[in-house]
Amino acid sequence: MSRPGFVLEVDDRTPALLTFSGDQLRLSRFGLGTKVVYPADADVSTNPIRLIDSALEAPAGTEPLEQRLTPSTKLTLVVLDTDRPRPRMRFDVRRSIVERVLELAARAGVDDVAIVVGGGLNKRWNPVDITRVLGDRVATSFQPDGRIESHDVTSEDAVAIGEVDGHAICVNRRVAESDLVVAIGAQFGHGEPCPLSAGIADVATLRRLGSPDSDRGFAKRVHETIHSSLNVFAVQAVLGQPHLSGALRFAHKREWEWKLADQLAFAAARQLAAALPRTGSQSLYSTPSADYAVVDVVGGAPAQVYDEAASVWQAANGVEVVGRADVVVTGAWGGAFDDGDPVGSPINAAHHALARRLGSHTGTPFVRDGGVAIAFHPLAPRFSNRRQSSAADFFAKILPETVDPAGMADFEERACSDEWYVDLYRKQFADHPLRTFQTWYRVAEATRSLSDVIWVGGNRRTADLFGHRSASTYADALEIASNTVGREPSITYLHGPGLPLGDVR
């Protein structure tokens, strides 16, 4: 059992604390009285088979999975990938769940089995991704026969399974025509309220679900329509915090507990990144992986599974924070949100810092209304030409016109029908262009109650484009913030590469 998270109040004995900024890891000093929210300790992964078996044999709200399988069952496993743990899992627990379900299907004599990757608007999986996540045994058994597919939200082959408010709800054909669907995912944050809907629906439905003016009632009715139309058994693995090793072994630890090896690893990482600014950070941080302890595995009726998994994650990671701060501070490490880029794109950095980390609370935000957010990231306007083509154009052409989601409907329509963007998505090279818009909508929503967002070390032009501000140093950021929150603000710093879940009281 890992140690729970806690809140440290900075005093004279507090050492310099680790801060994350793009591909830079630094030790920084914080003022006396600053509250530092440490997440629960990260543990190494262990064999999850017993937890998986328990979830399949004693599920919530339904009979055991094995009793729902017969030789005539048309079975589809949906591997949910709408939200991905970053850093990526060194060993993906979804592989173990898939293998266990396939063993039960084989024992029951089920012949018609297929796997659908429900990634929604995320980049579709290619054969390399399938092998990396699901393993050689599953890949070689299913790929040659075409029994693994990555769901295409733009497919004209989608099947309408119902209607909500006059809008046809369409989903993946294989899933719609199955006798039984086993939805397999991982819980490592608040996540999607219904990852199955986000993973297998068509682009028109996802546009409505993620639009800035979408109401919760519509989303609830969509989820209910999908679950009532499909026979679904959900399995959700609840993960702990990321446990880093090797060159990053120090990153998830508390600074006063660093041993000599941790101190040397940090010094070596700093020197390598300084001596080889591009290749050094690329080798260290471009695609880091981490162990995630499996806290629990929950199986059964989807609505109960997703609620229980979220509750378990909250219980394992919650940290009680007394009082809302005037200023909340966080880092944005590229290795925690962008694969293959140690710095990360500025739009994804803003989403990670402002929507995910600042939004990682149980209902009451870390910062008061009218408060200030300070984030560490260079906001370099860099995008992968192929993988982030739509995001690059969004940054260069749309944000200069408007940052208000309400004024982006026409731009969104054109992007979703752009043949180049859609072709990159369909050929498994890039996210769907709609994902960039919905990422920005979440950023705008997260900053609506803030009086200012200040980026330490941030590119000034990018910050201006976002409607934010930039500062050269943390001290300069506090000086700028003093115009709003005064000279002696209360400050909360969210520590670590994971998600410190705050229960603010």
Side-chain angles (χ1 to χ4, degrees), residues 411-424:
F411 295 111
E412 180 187 298
E413 179 68 38
R414 290 199 292 270
C416 288
S417 60
D418 187 287
E419 293 183 4
W420 170 247
Y421 299 153
V422 174
D423 193 53
L424 288 175

Side-chain angles (χ1 to χ4, degrees), residues 314 318-323 360-364 366 500-505:
Q314 180 175 316
V319 182
E320 184 172 336
V321 182
V322 178
S360 184
H361 54 74
T362 59
T364 302
F366 292 102
L501 179 69
D503 182 11
V504 186
R505 301 183 184 279

Side-chain angles (χ1 to χ4, degrees), residues 148-266:
I148 297 183
E149 65 168 295
S150 192
H151 174 58
D152 180 356
V153 300
T154 66
S155 175
E156 297 179 357
D157 197 36
V159 175
I161 59 171
E163 191 175 282
V164 175
D165 300 345
H167 175 84
I169 307 301
C170 301
V171 301
N172 180 276
R173 176 172 290 277
R174 169 71 199 198
V175 174
E177 296 176 348
S178 297
D179 298 317
L180 177 63
V181 176
V182 179
I184 298 167
Q187 187 89 24
F188 56 93
H190 288 307
E192 297 277 357
C194 179
L196 182 62
S197 300
I200 63 169
D202 67 326
V203 68
T205 301
L206 295 177
R207 284 188 67 183
R208 286 285 302 275
L209 285 172
S211 70
D213 57 355
S214 177
D215 64 273
R216 293 184 179 179
F218 174 78
K220 182 179 180 181
R221 290 190 293 275
V222 170
H223 305 331
E224 289 173 347
T225 298
I226 289 177
H227 287 152
S228 64
S229 302
L230 305 174
N231 183 16
V232 182
F233 186 101
V235 187
Q236 197 83 342
V238 183
L239 306 182
Q241 296 289 329
H243 184 282
L244 296 151
S245 58
L248 295 169
R249 60 186 299 165
F250 56 87
H252 63 269
K253 297 181 179 179
R254 300 164 185 178
E255 290 81 358
W256 57 91
E257 295 178 346
W258 283 11
K259 297 180 181 178
L260 179 60
D262 302 315
Q263 297 171 3
L264 293 174
F266 172 76

Side-chain angles (χ1 to χ4, degrees), residues 209-212 351 354-355 405 437-447:
L209 285 172
S211 70
H351 179 266
L354 303 174
F437 285 85
Q438 295 191 351
T439 296
W440 182 256
Y441 299 159
R442 303 292 87 78
V443 172
E445 182 182 1
T447 58

Side-chain angles (χ1 to χ4, degrees), residues 109-131:
V110 181
D111 289 327
D112 192 350
V113 183
I115 298 173
V116 173
V117 179
L121 300 172
N122 284 333
K123 184 184 85 69
R124 301 173 67 222
W125 287 12
N126 56 37
V128 174
D129 297 322
I130 291 170
T131 302

